[in-house]
Amino acid sequence: MGIIVQKYGGTSVGTPERIRLVAEKIIKRQREGNQMVIIVSAMGKSTDSLIQLAREVTSNPDPREMDMLLTTGEQVSISLLAMALMDKGADAVSFTGPQLGIQTTAFHQKARILDIDVSRIHQALSKDKIVVVAGFQGVSENQEITTLGRGGSDTSAVALAAKLRAECEIYTDVDGIYTMDPRKLHGAKKLETISSEEMMEMASLGAGVLHHRSVELAHKFGVPLYVASTFSGQSGTRIVIGGNGKMEDSLITGMTSSHSDVQVILMNLPVGMKSLRRIFDEMGDKEVNVDMISQMMNGDKRMHISFTIPREDAHVARELMDTWLQEDDAIHWSINEDIVKMSIVGMGMRTHSGVAGKVFDLLEQEDIEVKMITTSEINISWVMSSADEEKAIQVIGDGFDLTEKEIERE
Ligand code: ADP
Ligand code: ASP
Ligand code: MG
């Protein structure tokens, strides 16, 4: 008998009726002869509500206590799903992350999974139980409860699938992976398959459909990953590990736009590695991910640096600059919060040139100003004002064939 790992997201378990429907789906697969391990997220938007609650108590919640609070969301949904499964005649047992020994690093709210002890899962499966596991949470070496970052249940699911050598099915509120978030790009196309490399790139560039570390883990451990809707019954998207993933050769596979970064602009810093080290060591020590960086000289002795960091980490840049300014009053700095990062992703870029030129032609046609640019082997990303987002999405989406075109017959 094979093990199947399934993950159900917040919307999929958002109401008691949906929990009962999910339970039926799981039992059907078990009766087809599979051993079922199910990872669930917190119900609906309950994680958001818990964050809101904390903010009503304090403007600066302690990270350890935040993890203590947020992990309660998944404890509600696992117990309810196990009860629904039992009510429908199956045997089921739920486990929290710490109960299963989902070992993580100690960094609260950004912990990474180190290992999982699957012996309790095997024991339960051998007694024909359906195992229900809380996503998004784990425990550090010091027995502290941790969380993996927003959307982290996908990563819990893939990590468990890797440990159990099973396939991983992610059930959510869309029919699969689209060329872009269908809520943003009108007429976005659904992809039958996508390569794990492209999906990793899209997830880390802000396609919220999968937690980026889940795709990294799937790629690293060769876990077959499938994303589909919990309720529609339509076929979903298969993430092909390695390889191209597509029969036909399309240049660009997908597009993302993300508001999760801010642009830090530092002017008149002393020239040299010392300044760069001071900034980037500080960011690294606080686990702040610096993304796009640009540098411009201002005379021989001073330079301007601009870079993007996650919005939630803007305070780290503020604290650094506040202390630096006390030592050197020639420095000026500001944070631009009104930006959006857009990216296009495609393996086709490895073999085709001229893609960047086409992007900038299309943006120029719409009078869109680009503030920063980076490229990798399979993506081009740029930062622009958030006011231009809608226009840019449509012109790039249509220009690179990411939308369904109506067939004109006559
Ligand atoms: P879950 O709670 O099931 O984890 P999420 O809200 O985290 O669901 O992810 C699903 C959402 O991801 C979709 O509703 C969709 O708006 C968004 N999304 C972003 N990019 C894409 C994409 N390329 N394809 C499909 N959905 C996307
Ligand atoms: N409940 C958590 C969140 O909302 C984890 C998840 O949904 O994957 O971020
Ligand atoms: Mg999610």
Side-chain angles (χ1 to χ4, degrees):
M1 261 205 307
I3 301 176
I4 294 181
V5 172
Q6 294 187 330
K7 179 253 168 179
Y8 291 91
T11 324
S12 309
V13 292
T15 63
E17 296 70 39
R18 288 184 173 180
I19 292 179
R20 292 175 63 82
L21 260 161
V22 164
E24 274 168 24
K25 236 176 111 90
I26 297 166
I27 291 173
K28 186 163 172 272
R29 291 294 288 279
Q30 188 195 35
R31 297 209 170 126
E32 286 166 7
N34 303 294
Q35 294 185 310
M36 304 301 291
V37 176
I38 313 299
I39 288 80
V40 272
S41 297
M43 289 174 73
K45 302 242 172 283
S46 61
T47 308
D48 292 335
S49 311
L50 291 170
I51 293 172
Q52 186 52 34
L53 257 183
R55 293 218 176 106
E56 285 171 30
V57 173
T58 167
S59 59
N60 188 21
D62 179 75
R64 175 189 185 275
E65 301 308 330
M66 229 18 211
D67 279 353
M68 194 65 91
L69 177 69
L70 296 192
T71 47
T72 62
E74 271 70 13
Q75 204 165 328
V76 171
S77 50
I78 54 168
S79 48
L80 290 175
L81 179 58
M83 289 178 207
L85 287 163
M86 289 184 217
D87 185 66
K88 292 183 184 296
D91 201 0
V93 58
S94 68
F95 292 113
T96 65
Q99 274 183 311
L100 280 188
I102 301 188
Q103 287 292 336
T104 71
T105 55
F107 211 102
H108 286 291
Q109 302 194 269
K110 282 189 189 174
R112 285 169 172 270
I113 297 180
L114 298 172
D115 202 6
I116 306 177
D117 177 0
V118 285
S119 54
R120 266 186 106 168
I121 296 186
H122 281 304
Q123 255 173 35
L125 289 176
S126 68
K127 293 181 190 144
D128 285 336
K129 289 181 195 283
I130 295 171
V131 177
V132 184
V133 181
F136 177 55
Q137 55 179 261
V139 63
S140 71
E141 209 184 354
N142 301 334
Q143 302 305 309
E144 295 290 356
I145 293 180
T146 54
T147 61
L148 310 178
R150 295 303 308 270
S153 299
D154 300 328
T155 299
S156 312
V158 175
L160 267 168
K163 264 312 257 206
L164 294 166
R165 298 182 193 286
E167 299 194 357
C168 185
E169 301 172 356
I170 306 260
Y171 289 101
T172 181
D173 59 4
V174 271
D175 278 332
I177 311 292
Y178 282 70
T179 49
M180 186 188 199
D181 187 343
R183 292 176 213 254
K184 291 185 178 169
L185 176 62
H186 182 68
K189 292 188 211 171
K190 188 174 87 183
L191 303 166
E192 299 285 306
T193 59
I194 181 169
S195 71
S196 52
E197 282 177 72
E198 288 168 322
M199 195 61 235
M200 270 196 285
E201 207 83 344
M202 282 183 65
S204 70
L205 291 167
V209 63
L210 285 177
H211 193 234
H212 66 102
R213 290 215 307 279
S214 69
V215 197
E216 278 165 32
L217 282 183
H219 182 79
K220 186 165 165 195
F221 294 102
V223 177
L225 202 54
Y226 176 72
V227 179
S229 158
T230 306
F231 303 109
S232 80
Q234 300 277 318
S235 68
T237 304
R238 219 160 30 81
I239 285 118
V240 179
I241 309 298
N244 189 327
K246 270 184 266 99
M247 299 294 287
E248 79 278 18
D249 195 17
S250 69
L251 184 56
I252 301 301
T253 303
M255 168 163 69
T256 59
S257 84
S258 157
H259 289 260
S260 55
D261 287 358
V262 294
Q263 183 187 16
V264 182
I265 302 160
L266 310 179
M267 304 188 63
N268 291 333
L269 294 176
V271 164
M273 289 309 285
K274 218 171 144 195
S275 291
L276 294 177
R277 263 211 313 275
R278 181 164 179 176
I279 302 167
F280 298 114
D281 282 354
E282 176 83 6
M283 298 296 144
D285 289 349
K286 303 254 164 75
E287 301 245 346
V288 176
N289 229 334
V290 177
D291 185 17
M292 295 186 177
I293 305 172
S294 73
Q295 179 192 359
M296 217 173 72
M297 294 303 290
N298 180 23
D300 291 346
K301 301 214 162 56
R302 294 275 167 177
M303 62 181 175
H304 306 323
I305 300 266
S306 150
F307 56 91
T308 59
I309 53 173
R311 198 168 285 271
E312 76 256 21
D313 293 324
H315 66 276
V316 178
R318 285 200 182 96
E319 284 153 20
L320 168 71
M321 291 319 297
D322 279 343
T323 31
W324 206 342
L325 219 69
Q326 282 165 17
E327 298 160 28
D328 184 346
D329 61 8
I331 297 174
H332 294 280
W333 68 277
S334 61
I335 292 186
N336 185 359
E337 303 202 354
D338 237 359
I339 58 156
V340 56
K341 182 168 90 179
M342 279 192 62
S343 312
I344 50 171
V345 173
M347 303 271 262
M349 274 190 250
R350 280 195 178 139
T351 44
H352 291 78
S353 53
V355 181
K358 181 166 172 186
V359 169
F360 301 117
D361 275 352
L362 291 167
L363 294 176
E364 199 185 356
Q365 279 168 31
E366 298 288 328
D367 276 335
I368 295 170
E369 184 209 344
V370 171
K371 296 179 193 294
M372 295 173 103
I373 307 160
T374 55
T375 62
S376 83
E377 218 187 346
I378 62 164
N379 96 61
I380 297 175
S381 300
W382 63 96
V383 164
M384 58 191 198
S385 156
S386 19
D388 290 327
E389 182 181 11
E390 228 174 284
K391 261 194 313 189
I393 288 176
Q394 214 58 51
V395 73
I396 300 285
D398 291 338
F400 281 99
D401 203 21
L402 301 177
T403 49
E404 303 276 6
K405 303 249 168 18
E406 275 176 9
I407 302 162
E408 283 175 298
R409 293 185 189 278
E410 282 171 17

